Amino acid sequence: MSTDRTLLPLACTLTDGAGAEQLAAWRRFNDDYLTSIDRDRGRLIAHYENVGGAAGRLSDLVRTEQSCCAFATWSIHADHSELSLTVTGSDDALATLTFLEQRSIVSGTVRDE
């Protein structure tokens, strides 16, 4: 399995195959749990529903990102109903993390809830 390298951040150290798998995993996770994203200077906060296996899946995704996208700092905060992922780094670096907002395409349209 290969992926268009332009979908991965330039500094990402994953192979094409592993990168494609990680991007697909983010899209599935976002489909299931993403509620909103806030962007600020040097910081991105993604908000997710904290239900089912969301915390474990997010932890697995972030563990991979911490090893392949070390140009950003990744942290998870959980409360009873929400998970939030805070990613900090330079504005240029954060701009490359578009996969945090991607959802699957269903019937030619982006699937939003």
Side-chain angles (χ1 to χ4, degrees), residues 15-48:
T15 64
D16 288 351
E21 290 174 20
Q22 183 73 352
L23 291 174
W26 273 112
R27 281 190 297 274
R28 287 189 304 270
F29 185 78
N30 290 342
D31 286 346
D32 292 343
Y33 304 109
L34 182 65
T35 59
S36 66
I37 293 191
D38 301 319
R39 287 184 176 270
D40 198 1
R41 193 158 180 78
R43 181 177 63 184
L44 177 152
I45 303 173
H47 303 274
Y48 306 97

Side-chain angles (χ1 to χ4, degrees), residues 36-103:
S36 66
I37 293 191
D38 301 319
R39 287 184 176 270
D40 198 1
R41 193 158 180 78
R43 181 177 63 184
L44 177 152
I45 303 173
H47 303 274
Y48 306 97
E49 294 179 80
N50 189 4
V51 295
R57 285 175 63 188
L58 182 58
S59 292
D60 290 345
L61 288 165
V62 168
R63 190 172 13 265
T64 299
E65 297 304 332
Q66 288 171 325
S67 67
C68 69
C69 293
F71 56 83
T73 301
W74 305 76
S75 63
I76 299 170
H77 174 74
D79 67 26
H80 68 284
S81 64
E82 182 181 81
L83 293 169
S84 59
L85 169 63
T86 301
V87 186
T88 56
S90 73
D91 290 337
D92 289 340
L94 294 179
T96 68
L97 302 178
T98 59
F99 59 85
L100 292 174
E101 301 178 66
Q102 293 178 350
R103 294 179 186 253

